[in-house]
Amino acid sequence: WKLYTVDLQTAPYNYDSTTALEIVQRLTYIAAGTITSWYSTRRRSAPFGGCSGNSGYKAYLNADDDDGNVNNGTPHMTAIFNAFNRQEIACDDLTVQDSGSCEDIADQPVVTATKTGTEGEVMLSWSSVANA
């Protein structure tokens, strides 16, 4: 809940409520099938009970990852860590850092909407963007 209501809606993300909810719903949907434990003391003890391989924390990070390597961070890793850490179900075995493959994209595409001959239909086209 705090991931949605606090962590994604405050700095450095500052998402509006709808965007934050969309992110959390996506993460939950993708992560849910792989979670076998929310808290485990097998590898670590409080405050880091989310270190097992199939923990909720690790599943959310994998769901958020955009390049197949959680070791270099995920787009919302700081928010996910803070939300899980509040409940002592995060893990400190990875450096917490936000990253994303879209950070190098400086340009924005030019989007064109063209009305088609069909009632209520519009065709969208856009220019290419380097590194996108």
Side-chain angles (χ1 to χ4, degrees):
W1 180 252
K2 294 290 186 177
L3 178 59
Y4 158 58
T5 61
V6 176
D7 298 302
L8 291 174
Q9 293 186 47
T10 57
Y13 308 100
N14 298 315
Y15 292 123
D16 61 73
S17 177
T18 303
T19 303
L21 180 60
E22 225 14 76
I23 292 168
V24 171
Q25 286 178 325
R26 179 186 171 278
L27 294 176
T28 302
Y29 181 78
I30 293 170
T34 63
I35 299 169
T36 60
S37 170
W38 287 97
Y39 181 85
S40 173
T41 58
R42 286 193 303 237
R43 286 193 54 215
R44 304 292 270 292
S45 59
F48 299 110
C51 292
S52 68
N54 293 328
S55 71
Y57 177 67
K58 296 282 181 90
Y60 270 66
L61 290 180
N62 283 318
D64 192 46
D65 189 37
D66 63 350
D67 68 356
N69 181 6
V70 296
N71 294 315
N72 65 4
T74 73
H76 309 102
M77 189 176 205
T78 300
I80 294 168
F81 177 83
N82 290 338
F84 278 75
N85 195 46
R86 261 186 224 97
Q87 306 303 317
E88 297 186 351
I89 55 174
C91 187
D92 65 344
D93 64 351
L94 297 170
T95 301
V96 177
Q97 57 186 338
D98 290 339
S99 69
S101 58
C102 295
E103 292 174 352
D104 296 332
I105 300 174
D107 297 327
Q108 295 182 357
V110 175
V111 179
T112 306
T114 307
K115 189 175 180 180
T116 67
T118 305
E119 176 77 21
E121 185 176 281
V122 176
M123 183 192 304
L124 295 176
S125 61
W126 52 89
S127 62
S128 63
V129 175
N131 299 319

